Amino acid sequence: MSVAWGEPALPGCAGCGRAFAAGPAGWWRFAARCAACGVRQGPSPWWTVPVGALAAGAIAASLAGRGWVLAAGLLLSVAGVLLVAIDLAVQRLPDPIVWRLAVAVAVLLAVAAATGGGWPAYGRALAGGAALLGAFGLLALLTGGQIGLGDAKVAGVAGLLLGWLGWGAVLFGGLLALLLNGVVAVVLLALRRVTWRGSLPMGPALLGGVLLAVVAAGGLAQVS
């Protein structure tokens, strides 16, 4: 999936052209390096593994005892690491991953509602997802591409989980994502790594803000 927008997905190794396995087997058998030529095909596990473990651990600690809501949070954290890696590589958040993640999170939260979580919470989850999708979609139009529609779609998915936790989590997660992205932009501008007309991948800041909002909301719920 790590190709620029509009380009077809890679059918095989970028180095030697060895074809990936077809269908789901191509995911399950995927390795960080090509078995034939040794060229790296994916992000380094030296950062994805600890970041993924940290994110999943924080979600597990914050949503402990919440059953299907915890499952939705863990799924979002694991898929989030994949999305961050792709966004850092090519500034893209692929629809095939995002829409499947949206369906899975919505289904898990529906099961949570049906098994005791309450349908009002599920309705708030859907509203939270729609709110962040609309807010970031509007920002994408107003900023001329500084925030992409892919960012808006991921914000909508994250809004499902944040909405379940409450409107405070939705607001905090959205604002924190923008704040983190702004801080990163200022630092990179100061270091002359980007220009004023350049663009940054927002996926890391967006998903990082969501993670912190979930942790904060889960901590407040445990205190109360």
Side-chain angles (χ1 to χ4, degrees):
M1 296 291 181
S2 292
V3 294
W5 176 257
E7 294 184 7
L10 291 174
C13 172
C16 66
R18 181 182 182 182
F20 298 138
W27 287 82
W28 297 118
R29 298 178 186 174
F30 183 80
R33 293 187 180 275
C34 176
C37 67
V39 170
R40 181 173 294 282
Q41 302 179 94
S44 171
W46 289 105
W47 75 265
T48 54
V49 171
V51 169
L54 179 62
I59 291 289
S62 302
L63 301 179
R66 298 200 182 190
W68 294 104
V69 179
L70 171 59
L74 290 174
L75 177 62
L76 183 59
S77 68
V78 173
V81 176
L82 174 62
L83 290 171
V84 165
I86 296 174
D87 203 20
L88 288 173
V90 292
Q91 294 192 28
R92 180 187 175 197
L93 296 166
D95 286 341
I97 298 175
V98 175
W99 76 257
R100 286 177 172 85
L101 179 61
V103 171
V105 171
V107 168
L108 289 171
L109 293 180
V111 175
T115 55
W119 292 108
Y122 188 68
R124 189 175 61 241
L126 295 179
L132 286 188
L133 174 63
F136 277 82
L138 179 60
L139 288 174
L141 296 176
L142 295 177
T143 58
Q146 294 297 316
I147 295 176
L149 291 177
D151 300 318
K153 296 170 187 175
V154 172
V157 178
L160 294 171
L161 180 61
L162 295 176
W164 181 282
L165 299 176
W167 284 110
V170 174
L171 180 61
F172 184 58
L175 293 178
L176 192 56
L178 295 174
L179 176 62
L180 290 175
N181 195 60
V183 170
V184 172
V186 170
V187 171
L188 292 180
L189 282 170
L191 296 175
R192 297 184 179 181
R193 299 292 298 274
V194 298
T195 64
W196 286 103
R197 294 186 177 181
S199 59
L200 294 174
M202 190 174 180
L206 175 59
L207 291 163
V210 169
L211 175 63
L212 293 176
V214 171
V215 170
L220 290 175
Q222 290 177 6
V223 170
S224 59

